[in-house]
Amino acid sequence: MDDINVLHHRCLLNLRRRIRDIGDGHPAQDRCMRLQKDGDTLSYQGNSEEVGCYVAGHPLSKGNCYFEVTIVDTGVRGTIAVGLVPKFYRLDHQPGWLPYSVAYHADNGKLYNGNPVGKQFGPKCARGDRIGCGIHSENTEAGLTTVFFTKNGREVGSIEVPVSSEGLYPAVGMHSMGEEVKVDLRAEWLLEEDDTMMMVDSHEDDWGRLHDVRVSGMLLEYVGKGKSIMDVGLAQARQPLTTRCHYYEVEIVDAGEKCYIALGLARRDYPKNRHPGWSRGSVAYHADDGKIFYGIGVGDAFGPRCFKGDIMGCGIMFPRDYSLDGDGSVDVEDLGQLEGLPSQDGVQNVLYLNGEDEEEEEEEGDEVVQEQQGRKVTVFFTRNGKLMGRREMAVPPGGLYPTVGMLSSGEKVKVDLHPLSG
């Protein structure tokens, strides 16, 4: 008898699905333009000048109120949008651009709500990130619903939008070559009691720029392709080092395939696909070969190589009369007492203002150079608590930002931006 009841229940479920699919007499079908759909994978097939869009066959409902999109590849520009649209939304427009649609855009972290001009909403999204979209609640009488978005399971924000009687349909937009995502239309999301604590401790807000790097608490994980030197993953802190916060550390959790891990300092507008130390306005200690790179692509012998479990540190010895503030400044004499300090005579004054400027920065001109030459500090590096050496360099406008680079599959590091606090 139990088997008969189970069979009867399954028949009812199948009947409900068929009624839902038939609707107005036609089976519900996904709609797609300039995107190739292979199972749950969508890939852009346009020429990067035209938008490609996917709209699911069924709207979100109280029984199926959430879906997720995982970024497999950001392609050339990472112009991937995830959101909700009306049933017959135009497929040559990104979700969120036209009225009665709303979407979270991965390339700039903006929310587009029926307007081609977006508003700042949340963090940018990179390869490996999961963007979720769902409905918190519905008010059919008023024709409104509250749409929320998530990144890697944590809610980013929500907005109240109008909804027609047909509902709002999951949609994905793409706009550059190489973009690829996986869509899960039956994903589930629950806000756990301790989720707010998880958001506080996520440390994602500590980072101003992330490129092919995923953040999970204090952990940074490389999610790039790792096939060429143009596939660098970069994480740059939101705030520069100051006399109050003058040092940070990176622990190598997983060296990955090649241990192409670098930590250092870089200017605020540093190129996202360049290891710190490779371009002007930066200096970095590289784990794979133990070399120091200071503004050029050729490094100098500096310290030992670093491996899994090693802790690499980087900081600034500010002059006592430095303009930021006087508290918490680093005493050069105290640092000189650390074990392993190399001879001062063996460390050259290596400035990136020595005429080896890159073409991309020629427009900065002599005025910036003159300003930088008046603000010099000493950058130092450590390995497992021992001082490896130091370099004098000029501070670019805006300061020097903690910057971590990675370049091979599997690399993971744990970053502590405030190891000396508390």
Side-chain angles (χ1 to χ4, degrees):
M1 196 66 178
D2 290 339
D3 292 340
I4 294 177
N5 289 334
V6 171
L7 181 60
H8 179 67
H9 179 66
R10 289 179 178 175
C11 289
L12 286 176
L13 289 178
N14 289 332
L15 180 60
R16 289 175 183 173
R17 291 193 185 103
R18 289 176 62 84
I19 292 174
R20 181 189 65 186
D21 290 345
I22 292 174
D24 58 357
H26 301 281
Q29 293 183 348
D30 299 339
R31 298 170 57 230
C32 210
M33 177 183 285
R34 300 188 187 95
L35 301 181
Q36 179 179 334
K37 188 175 187 296
D38 183 7
D40 60 356
T41 300
L42 298 174
S43 55
Y44 181 75
Q45 299 296 310
N47 58 9
S48 293
E49 296 181 0
E50 299 172 314
V51 171
C53 188
Y54 161 84
V55 178
H58 299 287
L60 290 188
S61 63
K62 290 183 178 179
N64 183 27
C65 62
Y66 179 73
F67 75 103
E68 279 190 342
V69 172
T70 300
I71 300 177
V72 178
D73 198 323
T74 55
V76 177
R77 296 195 301 265
T79 45
I80 298 169
V82 177
L84 298 173
V85 301
K87 183 176 182 179
F88 296 108
Y89 192 78
R90 290 182 58 178
L91 299 181
D92 57 351
H93 284 65
Q94 284 275 30
W97 282 2
L98 297 179
Y100 303 104
S101 69
V102 61
Y104 181 21
H105 286 226
D107 60 317
N108 56 17
K110 291 184 178 181
L111 182 73
Y112 291 75
N113 183 19
N115 195 312
V117 178
K119 295 183 178 180
Q120 200 58 49
F121 182 66
K124 297 178 183 179
C125 301
R127 181 178 180 182
D129 285 332
R130 291 180 291 112
I131 304 175
C133 178
I135 299 174
H136 266 319
S137 62
E138 290 181 305
N139 187 342
T140 55
E141 294 181 358
L144 297 173
T145 185
T146 301
V147 177
F148 69 95
F149 293 90
T150 67
K151 179 185 177 187
N152 298 328
R154 292 191 292 270
E155 186 171 354
V156 176
S158 61
I159 185 171
E160 194 173 69
V161 300
V163 57
S164 67
S165 59
E166 295 178 339
L168 291 171
Y169 290 71
V172 179
M174 302 187 210
H175 203 178
S176 75
M177 295 295 295
E179 293 171 351
E180 185 174 309
V181 302
K182 284 189 176 182
V183 182
D184 185 358
L185 295 175
R186 298 185 179 276
E188 295 182 0
W189 180 80
L190 295 173
L191 181 62
E192 299 179 359
E193 293 182 359
D194 61 344
D195 193 62
T196 54
M197 182 63 68
M198 292 172 60
M199 288 190 289
V200 171
D201 294 336
S202 69
H203 296 272
E204 189 166 335
D205 291 340
D206 290 339
W207 300 97
R209 299 171 62 205
L210 293 167
H211 174 68
D212 280 347
V213 173
R214 180 167 54 203
V215 179
S216 178
M218 298 174 69
L219 192 72
L220 298 182
E221 179 182 0
Y222 177 67
V223 293
K225 297 179 180 179
K227 296 180 179 179
S228 74
I229 62 172
M230 297 303 294
D231 295 329
V232 170
L234 195 79
Q236 187 174 69
R238 187 176 298 276
Q239 300 295 334
L241 291 189
T242 67
T243 56
R244 290 184 179 274
C245 182
H246 58 264
Y247 177 73
Y248 79 103
E249 288 183 336
V250 170
E251 178 183 353
I252 301 177
V253 177
D254 194 328
E257 293 182 358
K258 304 289 186 180
C259 197
Y260 289 154
I261 298 170
L263 94 159
L265 301 172
R267 66 180 193 269
R268 181 169 47 193
D269 58 345
Y270 193 76
K272 66 180 182 179
N273 60 348
R274 298 281 290 172
H275 249 321
W278 282 0
S279 293
R280 190 171 72 86
S282 69
V283 60
Y285 180 20
H286 286 227
D288 62 308
D289 55 13
K291 292 183 178 181
I292 187 171
F293 290 74
Y294 41 93
I296 58 175
V298 179
D300 290 341
F302 184 68
R305 297 170 59 192
C306 300
F307 305 93
K308 179 179 179 180
D310 284 334
I311 298 176
M312 306 168 68
C314 178
I316 295 178
M317 294 183 281
F318 289 98
R320 293 187 181 277
D321 58 349
Y322 197 73
S323 60
L324 290 179
D325 58 67
D327 296 334
S329 59
V330 185
D331 194 325
V332 178
E333 295 180 0
D334 291 342
L335 281 172
Q337 297 174 1
L338 290 175
E339 182 180 356
L341 177 64
S343 169
Q344 180 70 18
D345 294 337
V347 181
Q348 300 298 320
N349 178 10
V350 287
L351 298 179
Y352 55 85
L353 304 173
N354 55 6
E356 298 180 357
D357 299 350
E358 296 181 354
E359 293 182 1
E360 63 182 10
E361 295 150 353
E362 288 180 353
E363 67 273 12
E364 294 185 8
D366 295 336
E367 293 183 2
V368 172
V369 173
Q370 292 174 0
E371 178 183 357
Q372 290 172 332
Q373 286 179 338
R375 304 177 62 206
K376 295 180 181 178
V377 296
T378 301
V379 177
F380 67 93
F381 294 92
T382 66
R383 177 178 180 270
N384 299 328
K386 297 181 179 180
L387 189 62
M388 294 293 101
R390 48 194 179 185
R391 288 291 188 271
E392 185 179 278
M393 67 179 297
V395 179
L400 288 167
Y401 291 72
T403 305
V404 179
M406 293 184 275
L407 188 55
S408 75
S409 177
E411 292 172 350
K412 297 179 183 179
V413 298
K414 181 179 179 182
V415 182
D416 189 349
L417 292 174
H418 312 284
L420 301 182
S421 63

